[in-house]
């Protein structure tokens, strides 16, 4: 709980009150109590130097020894005048006693009435401060349960429209009717059409799901409320449901509008999948979301858009018609889309004349829009580091390799034996890749460490690939195992450098056998686990649908395929033994060789003098 804070004035008033209340106690600390008879005796003996009536008290300063001391006695107000006349008057008139007195009425006001008035005022002030602090905390608690959706102003210079989105032409066509409805709702109402309440955008990370959602709002010119799925959830039960209610209440007040929920899988996962039952915060939030999406009219002008890269874990009730009616898949861009994306991201950058964006797009298959933006940004950073005034083609080449494999670790010190091992390993990959039909062309081979890899063989497909054949997948396994084979053939030993190759090869073979039905032994059946064990509850309650015999058969078939691929790689490298030696020798000498030099070594027409200068030949 937040601490209550008081103003400096309140502290001053408290100190003043304490002084007023406890000031009379000062007299008690510096004086001694005596009875009235002793005071009369002091007066008769002439020991009193000064006397002061203070209300019903008489304060006496009398001589004692070599100094003076203060005494205090109580004299009722009706006896004070007679005491003064009988015992103090003569001394005062003779100048022997210094005398002062305060009136009874004045003293009574300050000593009795004023402290109580002051204490009352101070109490009122402090209670008022406390109530204001409490109201502030109550307001903060109320705001805590409100939606955290951000409103993007579509009238500012940051407005995004479809012309700012590249590589998603079909998706824009699919979403344009949403724009048309928001602009002309009456046209659809006359036809009795119900515009989709919700649109779910599905695709890998970085493909532009959020961006195209903002573009829809920009095209329609309506408010765009954006909120992440994780922002609904808090440690306090009920807060998420409250935020959902507030979000839809705001949307209804500002309709027509678009409400965008990013990473909806954070709140929209399947119910009943865990061990905690249906009373946890996430499930209550999802229940409220389902209710609210049913709670507004079909043509009210509110469009719910959401994004996820895990549609398989969303609750079925969330995806039914009437909630998220439509699913739009945002995939990776093709070569034309990549070129358009590169044009957008290079539009405000100084690009050299030798840069061919179409060529770069052709050499970057599988890149998402976020990857392409990162590629252009890395090229700009490298150019600035070098002091160039333009981004050159060579810089784009360096940036693309950096994005794919990480920066070079030139400072890493490796021994000659390790250098030799990596040279044979990477040469084995490159030679087998070139020897097999249907494999991607080798663009670069290096033994300079990059990221977690000790070396790197860079291949680029000539065209976008949407389907993988059995032959291509087997060739890929052969290429992955070629590094281990080269180590065994030339060094008569093997290393841990092939761990990632073995892992990737195992995944490919497992998919071939258990998912794609590419072997006669197992048949055309899918033995992969449906959806995977996403929750601990699923793992506990899940029953296996695969017999132990089938699992053993899958393992045997996988081992058989891997052994055959391993043997094929060994046959190729044994036949290309001389080429393997030359290439490994060149890698140890130069560390990095590029496409033309690699092909010259492979074809047997290699002349080192033709490749004296280190030139990139990738793009």
């Amino acid at each position: 709980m937040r601490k209550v804070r008081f103003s400096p004035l309140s502290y001053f008033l408290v100190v003043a009150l304490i002084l007023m209340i406890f000031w009379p106690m000062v007299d008690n600390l510096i004086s001694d109590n005596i009875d009235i008879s002793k005071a009369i005796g002091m007066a008769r003996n002439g020991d009193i130097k000064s006397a002061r009536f203070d209300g019903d008290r008489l304060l006496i300063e009398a001589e004692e020894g070599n100094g003076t001391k203060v005494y205090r006695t109580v004299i009722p107000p009706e006896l004070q005048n007679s005491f003064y006349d009988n015992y103090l008057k003569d001394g005062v008139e003779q100048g022997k006693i210094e005398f002062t007195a305060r009136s009874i009425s004045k003293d009574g006001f300050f000593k009795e009435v004023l402290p109580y008035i002051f204490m009352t005022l101070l109490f009122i002030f402090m209670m008022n401060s406390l109530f204001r602090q409490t109201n502030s905390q109550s307001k903060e608690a109320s705001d805590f349960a409100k939606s955290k959706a951000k409103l993007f102003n579509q009238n500012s210079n940051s407005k995004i429209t479809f012309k700012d989105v590249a590589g998603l032409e079909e998706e824009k066509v699919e979403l344009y009717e949403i724009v048309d409805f928001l602009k002309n709702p009456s046209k659809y109402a006359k036809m009795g059409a119900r515009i989709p309440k919700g649109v779910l955008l599905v695709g890998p990370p970085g493909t532009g799901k959020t961006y195209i959602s903002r573009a829809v709002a920009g095209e329609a010119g309506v408010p765009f409320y954006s909120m992440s799925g994780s922002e609904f959830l808090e440690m306090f039960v009920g807060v998420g449901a409250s935020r959902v209610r507030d979000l839809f209440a705001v949307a209804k007040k500002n309709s027509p509008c678009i409400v965008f929920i990013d990473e909806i899988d954070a709140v929209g996962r399947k119910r009943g999948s865990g061990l905690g039952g249906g009373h946890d915060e996430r499930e209550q939030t999802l229940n409220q979301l389902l209710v609210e999406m049913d709670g507004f009219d079909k043509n009210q002008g509110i469009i719910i858009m959401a994004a996820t890269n895990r549609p398989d874990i969303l609750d079925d009730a969330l995806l039914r018609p009437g909630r998220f009616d439509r699913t739009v898949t945002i995939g990776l861009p093709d070569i034309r889309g990549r070129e358009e994306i590169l044009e957008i991201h290079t539009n405000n950058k100084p690009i050299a004349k030798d840069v061919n964006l179409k060529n770069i797009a052709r050499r970057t298959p599988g890149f998402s829009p976020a990857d392409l933006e990162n590629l252009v940004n890395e090229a700009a950073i490298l150019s600035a580091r070098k002091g160039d005034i333009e981004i050159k083609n060579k810089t784009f080449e360096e940036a693309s390799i950096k994005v794919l494999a990480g920066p070079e670790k030139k400072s890493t010190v490796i021994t000659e034996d390790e250098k030799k091992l990596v040279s044979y390993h990477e040469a084995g990959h490159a030679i087998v890749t070139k020897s097999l039909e249907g494999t991607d062309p080798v663009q670069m081979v290096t033994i300079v460490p990059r990221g977690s890899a000790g070396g790197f063989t860079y291949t680029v497909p000539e065209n976008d690939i949407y389907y993988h054949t059995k032959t291509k997948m087997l060739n890929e396994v052969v290429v992955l195992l070629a590094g281990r084979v080269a180590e065994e053939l030339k060094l008569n030993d093997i290393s841990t450098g092939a761990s990632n190759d073995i892992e990737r090869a195992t995944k490919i073979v497992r998919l071939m056998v258990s998912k794609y039905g590419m072997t006669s032994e197992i048949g055309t059946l899918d033995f992969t686990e449906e959806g995977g064990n996403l929750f601990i509850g699923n793992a506990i309650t899940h029953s296996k649908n695969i017999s132990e015999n089938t699992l053993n058969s899958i393992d045997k078939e996988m081992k058989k395929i891997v052994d055959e691929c391993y043997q094929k790689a060994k046959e190729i490298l044994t036949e290309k033994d001389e080429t393997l030696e030359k290439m490994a020798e060149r890698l140890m000498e130069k560390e990095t060789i590029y496409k033309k030099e690699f092909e010259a070594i492979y074809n047997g027409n290699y002349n080192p003098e033709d490749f004296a200068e280190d030139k990139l030949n990738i793009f």
Side-chain angles (χ1 to χ4, degrees), residues 145-393:
K146 288 186 177 181
S147 164
K148 294 185 178 181
K150 302 178 182 65
L151 173 62
F152 289 89
N153 185 5
Q154 299 294 347
N155 297 321
S156 63
N157 295 329
S158 61
K159 180 179 179 180
I160 298 174
T161 59
F162 280 162
K163 69 179 181 180
D164 300 312
V165 180
L168 298 174
E169 298 304 321
E170 291 78 8
E171 290 80 359
K172 286 191 284 188
V173 173
E174 183 77 9
L175 293 171
Y176 188 77
E177 65 184 38
I178 304 293
V179 176
D180 191 33
F181 165 74
L182 292 172
K183 287 183 176 180
N184 307 296
S186 59
K187 180 172 69 173
Y188 293 87
K190 290 178 181 178
M191 297 299 297
R194 178 181 65 82
I195 201 69
K197 284 186 178 181
V199 178
L200 182 65
L201 304 178
V202 178
T207 50
K209 299 184 289 294
T210 303
Y211 203 72
I212 198 171
S213 300
R214 290 186 61 185
V216 172
E219 283 287 332
V222 297
F224 181 80
Y225 293 92
S226 176
M227 188 171 179
S228 172
S230 61
E231 290 180 311
F232 287 106
L233 304 178
E234 292 286 351
M235 64 179 293
F236 305 105
V237 176
V239 173
S242 176
R243 289 177 178 176
V244 171
R245 289 191 293 269
D246 183 69
L247 174 62
F248 279 83
V250 172
K252 290 175 183 178
K253 292 179 182 177
N254 296 276
S255 63
C257 66
I258 290 177
V259 176
F260 178 71
I261 304 175
D262 197 11
E263 304 295 345
I264 193 172
D265 50 275
V267 68
R269 289 190 174 190
K270 294 179 180 179
R271 292 167 291 180
S273 298
L275 299 176
H279 301 288
D280 62 88
E281 167 67 352
R282 182 185 60 79
E283 292 199 4
Q284 287 195 23
T285 305
L286 174 58
N287 291 337
Q288 188 64 43
L289 179 61
L290 296 175
V291 171
E292 291 293 336
M293 291 189 71
D294 278 340
F296 58 89
D297 297 334
K298 60 183 179 180
N299 289 326
Q300 190 170 348
I302 301 174
I303 304 296
I304 309 299
M305 301 187 72
T308 181
N309 51 24
R310 295 298 310 275
D312 54 309
I313 67 174
L314 294 180
D315 195 89
D316 294 336
L318 196 63
L319 303 178
R320 73 158 175 81
R323 292 189 179 122
F324 283 106
D325 311 79
R326 182 172 300 178
T327 299
V328 178
T329 301
I330 311 294
L332 296 173
D334 57 13
I335 182 172
R336 183 177 61 181
R338 293 195 297 272
E339 184 179 358
E340 294 175 356
I341 294 170
L342 287 170
E343 288 176 355
I344 289 177
H345 292 304
T346 57
N347 186 39
N348 60 345
K349 295 179 176 61
I351 305 299
K353 294 181 179 180
D354 65 338
V355 175
N356 188 333
L357 295 181
K358 185 175 183 179
N359 209 8
I360 297 175
R362 184 171 61 87
R363 299 295 188 177
T364 53
F367 274 51
S368 68
D371 293 329
L372 294 171
E373 181 185 10
N374 188 37
L375 169 62
V376 175
N377 186 60
E378 287 291 342
I381 292 174
L382 288 173
S383 298
R385 187 186 302 170
K386 294 177 180 178
D388 297 336
I389 60 174
E390 294 179 322
I391 306 176
K392 302 176 182 178
N393 185 61

